[in-house]
Amino acid sequence: MRLTDNEIEAIAQKIVSKAPQSGRRPIIVGNWKMHKTPAEGEALVRQLIPLVEGASCEIGVAPAFPCLDRVAGALAGSNVHLCAQNAFWEAEGAFTGEVSTAMLKDLGVTHAIIGHSERRQYFGETDETVNHRAKTLFAAEMTPILCVGESLQEREEGLTHTVVERQVRGGLQGVANNQVANMVLAYEPVWAIGTGKVATLGQAQEVHGAIRRFVADLYDAQTSAAVRIQYGGSVKPDNAKQLLAQPDIDGALVGGAALKAEDFAAICLAA
Ligand code: 13P
């Protein structure tokens, strides 16, 4: 039996809190993109830290590279992880504009976002380059946050699962199951990013469930049950709770709302 979109939506709307049996700790990460100077970034985290100190989820902020050092200083001793917005796969060399995992680790970076749709769209990122980045992060004992998601056109053509499966499969080529179990995937439908157009609960849960099944097919049930899958795309304080209550949504990758301490803290506390 296949449920209609309306039936899926009605079920999703009724879910207000997730049964705790998944054992997956929610992870909320703020992707600052190309916003905030180092001084503004420091001020933002200084405001944020007291607001989230009681949160039970895992929390991270991903400032632009020039802000990392200053934000790291402000985060010392807090429960907020320092994340990067990318990481290159070579250890060092003539790669103008790139940043190595050793450079990031030295600053205290623990996680890095890779394969964001903006990187794919504007900077030629492919599943193959995302895969190189993922493997390099694992080798450095850092946590990749690997983003996948379909464009509006792909969704309208019924290609959502095909695209997302290709991105998951390509990004994880040659990655071992214990590594996948400890990493983070982020489902970010491109049409919901920065548009204020959030995926409906049913749409988001449906793709998250599909991603978990791809991981089970590629690896095994245990890996698929362990991997955390964030949702990203216009997550705000007023929609976070219901999104995070969906059975296969284990956190959020937050853009615009992460630039305001109160909003980002409210999302963290909703988890
Ligand atoms: P918005 O929350 O601004 O839609 O951005 C989502 C995103 O791209 C996070 O990586």
Side-chain angles (χ1 to χ4, degrees):
M1 184 190 76
R2 201 169 146 67
L3 298 176
T4 66
D5 287 350
N6 285 346
E7 285 166 334
I8 293 173
E9 211 45 57
I11 294 167
Q13 293 284 349
K14 284 199 191 119
I15 304 173
V16 286
S17 77
K18 175 157 48 187
Q21 77 265 14
S22 85
R24 295 184 294 268
R25 186 173 179 219
I27 172 166
I28 310 291
V29 173
N31 175 8
W32 294 2
K33 308 192 180 184
M34 201 176 76
H35 293 285
K36 306 285 177 192
T37 62
E40 289 166 349
E42 178 181 348
L44 175 58
V45 294
R46 288 205 187 280
Q47 243 190 308
L48 177 68
I49 291 165
L51 301 178
V52 297
E53 65 187 358
S56 56
C57 63
E58 189 172 326
I59 301 172
V61 291
F65 293 135
C67 300
L68 286 171
D69 195 22
R70 195 124 166 214
V71 169
L75 289 180
S78 79
N79 60 340
V80 180
H81 290 275
L82 186 62
C83 309
Q85 294 180 20
N86 206 354
F88 192 48
W89 54 84
E90 292 290 348
E92 62 177 2
F95 302 105
T96 303
E98 291 297 330
V99 168
S100 74
T101 52
M103 295 169 184
L104 295 172
K105 269 192 98 163
D106 191 60
L107 290 169
V109 173
T110 52
H111 303 55
I113 299 168
I114 53 173
H116 192 282
S117 63
E118 288 148 17
R119 301 290 325 165
R120 295 178 191 260
Q121 195 178 342
Y122 306 128
F123 302 100
E125 194 77 64
T126 64
D127 292 330
E128 200 183 351
T129 57
V130 172
N131 182 240
H132 288 316
R133 295 184 204 279
K135 286 177 171 162
T136 307
L137 287 163
F138 286 122
E141 295 182 336
M142 296 169 75
T143 305
I145 301 174
L146 194 167
C147 305
V148 300
E150 81 289 1
S151 67
L152 183 58
Q153 191 184 345
E154 288 161 342
R155 174 163 282 267
E156 285 172 352
E157 289 173 4
L159 294 174
T160 300
H161 286 204
T162 312
V163 169
V164 168
E165 181 172 6
R166 190 199 67 224
Q167 292 172 337
V168 170
R169 197 183 284 277
L172 297 181
Q173 197 80 49
V175 175
N177 52 359
N178 62 322
Q179 294 174 316
V180 175
N182 289 303
M183 72 179 293
V184 179
L185 295 171
Y187 171 56
E188 297 206 310
V190 178
W191 47 273
I193 294 177
T195 56
K197 220 182 188 185
V198 66
T200 66
L201 300 174
Q203 284 172 329
Q205 165 54 31
E206 194 262 330
V207 181
H208 279 244
I211 292 172
R212 208 175 291 290
R213 287 194 298 280
F214 301 150
V215 174
D217 290 346
L218 285 173
Y219 294 92
D220 50 65
Q222 216 183 333
T223 306
S224 141
V227 67
R228 289 179 296 174
I229 310 175
Q230 293 177 311
Y231 170 80
S234 301
V235 176
K236 306 279 181 245
D238 61 2
N239 59 25
K241 201 169 180 76
Q242 271 198 315
L243 281 163
L244 292 164
Q246 300 304 312
D248 289 300
I249 300 184
D250 309 310
L253 189 53
V254 185
L259 301 175
K260 280 201 194 124
E262 300 81 10
D263 287 358
F264 187 62
I267 294 168
C268 294
L269 296 173

